[in-house]
Amino acid sequence: AQSVTQLDSQVPVFEEAPVELRCNYSSSVSVYLFWYVQYPNQGLQLLLKYLSGSTLVKGINGFEAEFNKSQTSFHLRKPSVHISDTAEYFCAVIDTGGFKTIFGAGTRLFVKA
Amino acid sequence: EAGVVQSPRYKIIEKKQPVAFWCNPISGHNTLYWYRQNLGQGPELLIRYENEEAVDDSQLPKDRFSAERLKGVDSTLKIQPAELGDSAVYLCASSQRVGMNTEAFFGQGTRLTVV
């Protein structure tokens, strides 16, 4: 069975500073990896995904993530955050043989002026 | 293209009352999911449909929860009777089964408060 651990429940950061949101997963099979963002009172929106190929994945809104198979990690980064990036971020995995998405508990990013 | 549509957005009911949520997936998406998201947690799958067939309902509390997807398009999730612990956001998502790319598109959710 797969599981996802988001190591930080909350990340406060000043505007224009860089940020990294950490995600580790466990799985006995190959997986696909996703990051979703959830703004207040909204559904989840896909930021980026890793299916295969280059381990550095670029997504929307200037976010990127790097798949590290040896460390079973998929950390999300942005070099300079904006106030509008304040939201909840969820890391998720799907095993390559199935269609069940397992979500982490989420990391609340709070960008301060 | 319209996204996943859910209604209602908010619902407040007294415990022991029934409640139903409705979801209309993106046109052409064969797979439909219902998730429950408790406060401060990630979504947890309740049930997954492939067309009109429920292929994974292992996490659905079948004593009080039921779901249907007649004709393989829109879907309804019902709770009867509701309990205080059912307060959560219920998210519907859909995906198009194209190869192994199973990106799910989410609706805005229904926030249920049981009092």
Side-chain angles (χ1 to χ4, degrees):
Chain A
Q2 296 89 38
S3 67
V4 178
T5 302
Q6 292 185 240
L7 297 160
D8 307 293
S9 59
Q10 296 186 65
V11 174
V13 63
F14 285 103
E15 192 174 21
E16 297 183 6
V19 70
E20 178 179 82
L21 306 183
R22 297 180 293 169
C23 173
N24 286 89
Y25 69 93
S26 65
S27 177
S28 58
V29 299
S30 296
V31 295
Y32 300 127
L33 296 153
F34 302 77
W35 275 99
Y36 285 86
V37 60
Q38 186 177 34
Y39 299 104
N41 298 315
Q42 298 293 318
L44 279 72
Q45 178 184 1
L46 183 67
L47 269 180
L48 49 78
K49 58 187 175 185
Y50 172 79
L51 303 180
S52 64
S54 173
T55 57
L56 183 62
V57 180
K58 294 188 182 298
I60 62 172
N61 300 340
F63 283 92
E64 64 181 31
E66 186 158 17
F67 171 55
N68 188 319
K69 188 175 182 179
S70 63
Q71 297 186 4
T72 61
S73 67
F74 191 54
H75 301 333
L76 181 70
R77 302 186 183 99
K78 186 170 182 177
S80 176
V81 294
H82 302 132
I83 296 288
S84 59
D85 292 323
T86 295
E88 189 92 20
Y89 291 80
F90 293 95
C91 182
V93 302
I94 303 174
D95 68 76
T96 56
F99 301 91
K100 188 172 184 176
T101 307
I102 305 297
F103 288 88
T107 297
R108 180 168 295 279
L109 176 64
F110 179 59
V111 182
K112 301 177 286 185
Chain B
E1 179 182 325
V4 176
V5 179
Q6 291 187 247
S7 69
R9 288 293 311 278
Y10 305 92
K11 189 74 176 178
I12 301 175
I13 61 170
E14 294 183 343
K15 62 181 181 182
K16 301 184 181 179
Q17 295 301 307
V19 65
F21 315 125
W22 177 79
C23 172
N24 192 25
I26 293 174
S27 177
H29 281 195
N30 299 322
T31 305
L32 184 146
Y33 314 78
W34 281 104
Y35 286 88
R36 177 169 57 189
Q37 185 178 18
N38 292 313
L39 186 65
Q41 297 181 25
E44 296 178 323
L45 182 69
L46 290 173
I47 189 168
R48 174 170 66 90
Y49 282 93
E50 294 290 344
N51 298 306
E52 67 275 9
E53 182 182 0
V55 296
D56 183 356
D57 63 355
S58 57
Q59 301 301 312
L60 189 72
K62 298 181 182 63
D63 57 335
R64 297 183 300 107
F65 285 66
S66 64
E68 60 183 14
R69 192 185 183 197
L70 301 175
K71 301 181 181 179
V73 182
D74 57 344
S75 176
T76 302
L77 178 68
K78 299 178 181 178
I79 308 175
Q80 182 171 12
E83 297 179 352
L84 294 177
D86 296 331
S87 295
V89 175
Y90 291 84
L91 294 167
C92 179
S94 69
S95 65
Q96 186 177 40
R97 190 171 172 175
V98 178
M100 299 302 286
N101 184 345
T102 55
E103 174 186 344
F105 294 83
F106 285 79
Q108 292 183 300
T110 296
R111 182 177 297 275
L112 173 67
T113 302
V114 182
V115 298

